[in-house]
Each structure stands twice: as structure tokens, then as C-alpha cells.
Amino acid sequence: MSDTVVRSARREDAEALAELSTQLGYPSDAESMRQRLDAALSSPDHMIYVCCIDSELAAWIHVMRTFHLESGFGVEIAGLIVSERRRGQGLGTQLVRDAMSWAKNQGFERLRVRSRAERAGAHAFYQGLGFEQEKLQHVFACPLP
């Protein structure tokens, strides 16, 4: 029988977090992830939960407070990744529920998530958890000179 544990992320999780990020198409290395993790872990506006199965880090979620001048404070899932070999086992659902609990404890009534247009499976997953599509948008980026 597998031993499944959900806990707060730790600095030493950086390599596994980087591997999962790379698996989902966001290439990262342990040192870059460690730097990002240090920034998030030092801020009360961020929470990162990891799900470990038999000591294997199998999934993670990053939830954070946001602020926009036009709409005020909010809370959003910034990332959710489940290992390819562990998908369909309920890990993502558990992590989203933990993120919802964190958001509620922060005083929020809504949790938002952004998902790339081509990730139809992710859209169905979130809708199955009660999320509703709010809007469509384009994201633009410009390299700085």
C-alpha cells in the first residue's frame, strides 16, 4: 500500500519541482527552481504544496495572492503539475482542494486559475471541480532592450 503525504514545499524539493516543470513543458533546472522557491517560501503571499507517494514527489501546486489596481486583491493557482505516471490518481484534485482551503483561510471567496488554450484536459479537470470559464484573453510578451 502506498504512503501518500501532502505537505508544504521545502527548499530541498527544488530538483523534483524542476523535473516536473520540465515534464509539462516549462524547462527548468534545480538551481533556477531553488531561487524561485526561495522567493516564494519567504513570502506569506505564496503557498506551495507537494504530494509525495512513497517519498517520490509526484505533484505540486503553487497558489498565490494577487493584486491588480483595477480589481484589487485575489488568489490564483499559479501552477499545478502532476507527474505523467501519476495522473488520474486524484493527486491534482487533492492539491486543488488544499489550495482552496488556503485561499479561504486567507479570507478569499474565489480562487482563479489560468490554463493554456490547448490544454483541454486541464479545462475539463478544473470545470469538474467547480471552476467556470470567466474570460478568454491573449498574453503578449516583449523582450526588453
Side-chain angles (χ1 to χ4, degrees), residues 50-141:
V50 299
C51 181
C52 299
I53 300 176
D54 296 331
S55 75
E56 168 201 358
L57 199 149
W60 62 264
I61 192 167
H62 173 201
V63 60
M64 65 182 188
R65 288 174 53 115
T66 61
F67 175 77
H68 299 273
L69 191 59
E70 76 281 1
S71 58
F73 289 97
V75 66
E76 179 172 304
I77 295 171
L80 169 63
I81 301 177
V82 177
S83 169
E84 290 172 346
R85 66 185 211 90
R86 296 291 189 175
R87 291 184 188 150
Q89 297 178 14
L91 307 182
T93 298
Q94 178 61 50
L95 289 172
V96 170
R97 297 217 186 284
D98 290 336
M100 289 174 165
S101 179
W102 183 85
K104 191 153 185 84
N105 288 336
Q106 297 293 308
F108 292 95
E109 296 178 2
R110 295 182 59 202
L111 177 62
R112 296 178 83 189
V113 64
R114 299 169 196 272
S115 181
R116 289 176 59 169
E118 65 271 12
R119 298 200 193 276
H123 305 165
F125 167 77
Y126 287 117
Q127 289 170 331
L129 291 174
F131 288 79
E132 296 177 354
Q133 185 175 329
E134 197 171 72
K135 66 179 177 178
L136 292 174
Q137 67 184 87
H138 295 278
V139 176
F140 298 91

Side-chain angles (χ1 to χ4, degrees), residues 15 17 29 32 42 51 80 91 122 128 131:
E15 185 173 350
L17 295 174
D29 59 77
S32 297
S42 67
C51 181
L80 169 63
L91 307 182
F131 288 79

